Amino acid sequence: MRGLRQGKLPATPFREEQPRLDIDNFYYAQEDELFASATHHQFSWTIHRPHTIIGYALGNAMNMGVTLAVYATICRETGRPFVFPGSPTQWNSLTDMTDARLLARHLEWASTTPAARHHAFNVVNGDVFRWSWMWSRLAAWFHIEPAPFPGQITPLEQQLAGAEEIWHSIAKSHNLIEPDLNNLISAWHTDADLGRPIEVVTDMSKSRKFGFLDYQSTDESFFDLFTRLRKDRIIP
């Protein structure tokens, strides 16, 4: 799903057999190295293509879940509006995500399933949603009201610019373990994910055909993460 802001937009739902996008992509380079090494050393391979991953990954540069949790906390503690930062397309269109726990199970399944060898797989939770629905679900977990969608991109990088002292104060008053905002959030990457100009619906027919039937509700992925962040005193 990387590179959707460049070149021609692909057809959705995304399927494993679709050709590569006509752009430079680091993931393609990794695949080519894998194929060459597998041919040379005679080992089997699988490729796993998640969408936006949600999971417990403090300090990770691609971390929407923790970023949105911190953003919602700042909005609750300061009275700021909880504004969806992304594009009208993401707000209104269908999308999906990948729970890190489901991705781990998919990796294990593929490594122990002979039929999966030498195949590329999409990996998503199995549900679809619109951010116009999910945003209110996230707001309710934090006991705040979602702001009306402004109809345009309102980047988190702008909304959270200069919020370091605010977070430091919140962390101090609630005895949180990480007072440095920049060690927690990746606003730029969350903006990229939520700013896509295309719906993101990912087909997993190949995995289903080969026997992987796991499912994960995406709103519960967020709630499970938020609960753990609170338990570990990352958010109040």
Side-chain angles (χ1 to χ4, degrees):
M1 265 50 94
R2 313 300 175 192
L4 291 183
R5 290 182 176 275
Q6 306 173 47
K8 183 179 178 181
L9 295 177
T12 59
F14 300 127
R15 302 182 187 277
E16 288 102 340
E17 65 269 20
Q18 285 178 242
R20 291 179 173 182
L21 300 176
D22 187 23
I23 59 172
D24 290 331
N25 189 312
F26 176 65
Y27 295 95
Y28 299 160
Q30 288 181 307
E31 289 182 0
D32 289 340
E33 289 296 323
L34 172 67
F35 298 149
S37 184
T39 298
H40 180 75
H41 296 287
Q42 296 296 301
F43 62 79
S44 61
W45 53 265
T46 57
I47 292 172
H48 304 259
R49 299 169 178 162
H51 181 198
T52 300
I53 298 175
I54 179 170
Y56 190 89
L58 301 182
N60 187 281
M62 302 179 180
N63 200 343
M64 179 190 289
V66 177
T67 299
L68 293 182
V70 169
Y71 173 51
T73 298
I74 290 174
C75 290
R76 187 186 63 206
E77 297 290 315
T78 64
R80 291 186 180 192
F82 186 54
V83 179
F84 179 71
S87 69
T89 301
Q90 283 294 295
W91 180 255
N92 293 309
S93 301
L94 292 174
T95 192
D96 50 29
M97 292 184 70
T98 305
D99 190 303
R101 300 167 298 183
L102 183 139
L103 176 58
R105 295 196 298 272
H106 194 272
L107 290 164
E108 181 181 21
W109 164 79
S111 72
T112 58
T113 302
R117 294 173 183 168
H118 303 115
H119 283 280
F121 296 97
N122 293 332
V123 190
V124 287
N125 286 344
D127 64 349
V128 293
F129 63 91
R130 290 181 172 87
W131 277 105
S132 57
W133 174 83
M134 183 67 78
W135 201 245
S136 62
R137 296 282 290 170
L138 304 188
W141 197 92
F142 286 93
H143 302 290
I144 56 178
E145 289 294 322
F149 178 56
Q152 61 189 17
I153 293 176
T154 312
L156 283 179
E157 276 201 296
Q158 294 179 11
Q159 293 193 56
L160 294 176
E164 289 83 0
E165 287 302 316
I166 293 173
W167 183 255
H168 190 276
S169 178
I170 291 171
K172 183 177 180 181
S173 63
H174 291 281
N175 193 31
L176 304 181
I177 66 172
E178 180 50 77
D180 190 336
L181 178 67
N182 295 316
N183 287 340
L184 293 176
I185 68 169
S186 56
W188 65 273
H189 195 271
T190 298
D191 285 338
D193 282 335
L194 296 180
R196 291 188 178 98
I198 187 175
E199 69 173 0
V200 184
V201 179
T202 310
D203 181 75
M204 279 191 69
S205 294
K206 188 187 293 186
S207 292
R208 307 309 185 204
K209 180 179 179 180
F210 290 170
F212 184 83
L213 304 177
D214 287 23
Y215 166 88
Q216 171 65 47
S217 174
T218 301
D219 56 343
E220 292 181 2
S221 294
F222 277 110
F223 301 157
D224 290 348
L225 173 62
F226 298 160
T227 298
R228 182 174 177 186
L229 293 173
R230 179 169 288 172
K231 177 179 178 292
D232 290 353
R233 298 190 2 256
I234 305 299
I235 61 173

